[in-house]
Amino acid sequence: MGVRANSRPGTRQPFTGMRRALAVGALSVLGAVTAFAAVSGPADAAASTLGAAAAQSGRYFGTAISASKLGDSQYTTIANREFNMITAENEMKIDATEPNRGQFNFTNGDRIYNWAVQNGKQVRGHTLAWHQQQPGWMQSLSGSSLRQAMIDHINGVMSHYKGKIAYWDVVNEAFDDSNGGRRDSNLQRTGNDWIEVAFRTARAADPAAKLCYNDYNIDNWSWAKTQGVYNMVRDFKSRGVPIDCVGLQSHFNSQSAYNSNYRTTISSFAALGVDVAITELDIQGGSAQTYANVTNDCLAVPRCVGITVWGVRDSDSWLGANTSPLLFDSSGNKKAAYTSVLNALNAAPPVSPSPSPSVSPSQSPSQSPSQSPSQSPSQSPSQSPSQSPSAEPGGCSATMRTVNSWPGGFQSEVTVTAGSAPVNGWTVNWTWPGGQSISSLWNGQQTVSGSNVTVRNAPYNGSISAGGSTTLGFTGNGSAATPSVTCTSP
Ligand code: 9MR
């Protein structure tokens, strides 16, 4: 059973509850959601806050925020200084946002959202479809009416925040704790396709948000639950179900301990063509070494886009202050774990601005899981993206790369880059060499004429700043190919 939405943070379930966690996300292409990768500097200019230090390698460092604490100046001072990604701890959950069917309430969600953006931070949305923290009316539904209620809820919340959320935890904690299959729940009993329906609904509701699956106990690569989620993500990518990211909640404790195969887990998910985020990190006992290990594992994988800790001070944690799980003590002092995370972030090599890190074979799992995925990163991404002629000043250029491929299909990404002047509207064009076709495309509007494909910007990503870039993606039928892409702008 779950802890209700109105539970106090310290109110927690027995152990299974302690092992719950949440999701991750990715950087939106929206202007409102800018990539941290733009921040870079000399490698030896150590940053003095977590957010600035993470930004040096194009990542974010976030925290969960509780609306009830926004009046606590020690809390907001630390949060504002250190973090640049914000997750509402409870205020965007189902019971908070739709307490009565069809009546949405965004009062507290908006308080957190507004505090975040007014302080220059991005926001992760948490969470749209979950077996817990459902309002009473939803708990009593089943079958097609519950399915419809889930769809309506996703549409209602995502339309309110349309274009404003970098990553949405679309589905949270849908897998069983031990057997690698789905968790039984009222949502699961509406049919096994409920998760993909949630993702398709979410993509249509806000194409700019990166859509994440979020869960706890999927950190250890050898665990059946990890493999279950991995197989679902692989299946979704192969069938064009829109999923952009996986969130490893990463609530670590003695029974769900950090394992050195964590890096393998992160790189294996990334190799499927999704971003990975650490979404609810806390470590009972607060080991500085374990915090450093977690940070270094994320830094080792280009598509590990950021880390969120699940609270600011120990006294803010759902686990209770006596477990010492976070980076600041209950008086707001930096702990040894804080220093180890900051040092690890500062030691990471800076990256050049790149909104869409590519996946390289070096990210392939170096360890075999005990339950080896049936299909592993033999679907390696293309290392030679196509090049288009260099852009004239004021124009644009575009490249295509293969993100993933499988027998009879593939997934690709096109990066559109502005020249030395901003671009307001763009069109890219290419010709398929061998009968390929697009099955699903996002972040653009396509027109197909035989083997020729033209994609115009979507309503929300036509404006690119000088030297900046944006991406569109698609899944295709046939053999992966990277034809040259031309780009024009008015
Ligand atoms: O920290 C949240 C706590 O305040 C709530 O009472 C609880 C209700 O279920 O949810 C906690 O956050 C959870 C998150 O939403 C999902 N993963 C596990 C987190 C800790 O339980």
Side-chain angles (χ1 to χ4, degrees), residues 141-436:
L141 295 181
S142 62
S144 56
S145 67
L146 175 59
R147 176 66 67 89
Q148 190 59 50
M150 177 190 82
I151 292 168
D152 294 344
H153 180 78
I154 293 170
N155 282 325
V157 177
M158 288 189 83
S159 64
H160 179 76
Y161 290 111
K162 188 170 183 177
K164 298 176 170 179
I165 301 289
Y167 305 83
W168 262 113
D169 291 337
V170 177
V171 172
N172 197 43
E173 302 177 358
F175 274 71
D176 182 80
D177 280 337
S178 52
N179 67 18
R182 297 285 183 85
R183 171 196 300 283
D184 179 53
S185 71
N186 60 349
L187 289 164
Q188 182 62 30
R189 289 191 290 273
T190 67
N192 205 49
D193 63 344
W194 73 276
I195 298 181
E196 62 190 86
V197 168
F199 276 90
R200 291 187 199 281
T201 303
R203 176 70 88 221
D206 185 356
K210 289 220 181 183
L211 308 180
C212 308
Y213 176 79
N214 191 52
D215 214 331
Y216 66 91
N217 279 1
I218 58 169
D219 316 295
N220 187 322
W221 183 237
S222 72
W223 286 15
K225 185 172 178 180
T226 311
Q227 294 302 310
V229 173
Y230 177 88
N231 286 330
M232 178 189 74
V233 175
R234 190 187 61 200
D235 171 57
F236 280 11
K237 296 301 283 187
S238 73
R239 292 190 294 113
V241 177
I243 183 168
D244 306 307
C245 37
V246 171
L248 311 181
Q249 294 186 6
S250 305
H251 293 289
F252 292 117
N253 55 54
S254 58
Q255 287 153 288
S256 181
Y258 168 83
N259 185 289
S260 59
N261 68 22
Y262 188 57
R263 189 176 297 196
T264 299
T265 304
I266 297 171
S267 61
S268 299
F269 275 114
L272 292 176
V274 290
D275 289 342
V276 180
I278 298 167
T279 51
E280 302 182 13
L281 179 62
D282 46 35
I283 301 173
Q284 293 190 42
S287 161
Q289 182 60 56
T290 307
Y291 261 108
N293 291 344
V294 168
T295 306
N296 283 323
D297 290 341
C298 178
L299 293 169
V301 181
R303 284 197 84 156
C304 184
V305 294
I307 299 173
T308 295
V309 287
W310 204 237
V312 178
R313 303 160 301 196
D314 284 338
S315 50
D316 303 315
S317 171
W318 69 294
L319 295 164
N322 58 346
T323 61
S324 189
L326 295 172
L327 300 177
F328 293 87
D329 69 19
S330 298
S331 303
N333 300 308
K334 295 170 182 173
K335 296 166 58 180
Y338 171 93
T339 308
S340 74
V341 170
L342 185 68
N343 289 345
L345 293 170
N346 275 323
V351 294
S352 56
S354 167
S356 197
S358 63
V359 182
S360 79
S362 63
Q363 299 172 263
S364 301
S366 53
Q367 296 169 255
S368 299
S370 56
Q371 304 126 300
S372 180
S374 55
Q375 189 185 2
S376 76
S378 58
Q379 317 156 338
S380 48
S382 158
Q383 291 304 294
S384 50
S386 61
Q387 297 294 330
S388 66
S390 45
E392 295 299 316
C396 56
S397 61
T399 58
M400 182 185 297
R401 73 179 181 100
T402 305
V403 173
N404 203 351
S405 64
W406 51 90
F410 60 98
Q411 182 193 342
S412 302
E413 183 177 79
V414 175
T415 299
V416 181
T417 304
S420 55
V423 158
N424 283 306
W426 48 262
T427 302
V428 293
N429 184 280
W430 68 87
T431 301
W432 290 122
Q436 292 85 354

Side-chain angles (χ1 to χ4, degrees), residues 2-11 13 17-22 89-90 93 126-127 130 132-133 172-173 214 216 249 251 280 282 310 317-318:
V3 178
R4 305 289 315 133
N6 53 7
S7 302
R8 286 169 290 106
T11 308
Q13 312 163 49
M18 294 180 12
R19 297 185 302 175
R20 280 183 290 110
L22 52 105
E89 186 170 0
N90 290 296
K93 291 175 178 174
H126 175 77
T127 179
W130 190 19
Q132 293 204 50
Q133 289 186 260
N172 197 43
E173 302 177 358
N214 191 52
Y216 66 91
Q249 294 186 6
H251 293 289
E280 302 182 13
D282 46 35
W310 204 237
S317 171
W318 69 294

Side-chain angles (χ1 to χ4, degrees), residues 35-63 78-85 119-121 295 299 305-307 328 334 338 341-351:
F36 293 113
V39 180
S40 60
D44 57 354
S48 60
T49 66
L50 299 169
Q56 293 174 124
S57 69
R59 296 179 173 83
Y60 64 78
F61 209 99
T63 186
I78 298 170
N80 191 20
R81 183 185 71 216
E82 297 289 342
F83 302 103
N84 51 15
M85 180 68 80
N119 289 294
K121 304 174 194 315
T295 306
L299 293 169
V305 294
I307 299 173
F328 293 87
K334 295 170 182 173
Y338 171 93
V341 170
L342 185 68
N343 289 345
L345 293 170
N346 275 323
V351 294

